[in-house]
Amino acid sequence: MISVIVPAYKEAPLVEPCIILLREEMERLKKELKEPYEIILSAEGDDETPQIMNRLMKKYKNLKFAYSRQKLGKGGGIEHGFSKSKGEKIIFMDVDLSVHPSYAKEMINLLDSFDIVVASRYTPLSKIKRSGMRIFLGYGYSDVGATD
């Protein structure tokens, strides 16, 4: 089984479009890879996310909702989602889908050879909105654009 963890904090407007797009991609991959999947939204915050997820879980059987009333932070949200997963292969994607779900297949396949696969927001299909300072600092902490 493949588990897809989606951490979210007060991201209600993004939840349904994310789940629909991610589910479409995973349904396609399920047929291709012949592996079942689950999508786990790991959320905290006091927005409408629980109501949205309850509605979506009635419609789609392979969705799970890991909700916390405590502030976990992004790392804690990911860990909380991992703790609810049943997959032998686990990936996570941000709810804003800054790394497009079409990269899921590549990530899943790489898990056959590597213990950990980290996607980059600097791929051609990535959609990111950041201030100039945030972009500058992001490049400084990564090897994107390095010339060595």
Side-chain angles (χ1 to χ4, degrees):
M1 175 177 278
I2 299 165
S3 296
V4 182
I5 311 300
V6 181
Y9 175 69
K10 293 188 178 184
E11 301 276 8
L14 300 177
V15 169
E16 188 164 0
C18 168
I19 295 298
I20 289 171
L21 188 60
L22 189 52
R23 189 183 167 280
E24 287 171 1
E25 183 64 23
M26 294 308 296
E27 281 293 312
R28 190 182 68 70
L29 288 177
K30 177 182 167 183
K31 292 174 187 167
E32 188 177 330
L33 300 174
K34 298 182 180 20
E35 282 192 71
Y37 71 92
E38 63 183 358
I39 298 172
I40 303 169
L41 186 87
S42 179
E44 58 187 82
D46 57 356
D47 62 2
E48 298 78 36
T49 297
Q51 294 85 352
I52 294 166
M53 282 303 292
N54 285 333
R55 183 172 43 78
L56 290 172
M57 287 187 302
K58 288 177 185 172
K59 191 174 182 180
Y60 306 118
K61 63 178 176 147
N62 52 358
L63 296 182
K64 290 183 181 178
F65 185 45
Y67 182 74
S68 174
R69 294 187 185 276
Q70 294 179 313
K71 179 103 170 79
L72 302 173
K74 185 173 182 177
I78 295 166
E79 184 178 0
H80 189 224
F82 273 48
S83 73
K84 306 293 181 188
S85 69
K86 294 183 178 170
E88 296 83 41
K89 296 179 182 178
I90 305 171
I91 64 173
F92 85 88
M93 295 190 160
D94 290 334
V95 73
D96 67 357
L97 295 178
S98 55
V99 174
H100 195 271
S102 63
Y103 285 96
K105 179 182 177 186
E106 187 174 352
M107 293 169 68
I108 292 163
N109 286 337
L110 286 168
L111 286 170
D112 289 331
S113 302
F114 301 98
D115 293 335
I116 299 172
V117 177
V118 179
S120 171
R121 291 176 174 250
Y122 298 107
T123 61
L125 293 177
S126 294
K127 296 176 190 170
I128 55 174
K129 295 178 185 174
R130 296 184 179 165
S131 68
M133 179 58 79
R134 177 79 188 261
I135 292 169
F136 174 76
L137 292 173
Y139 272 99
Y141 285 109
S142 71
D143 66 356
V144 173
T147 59
D148 52 314

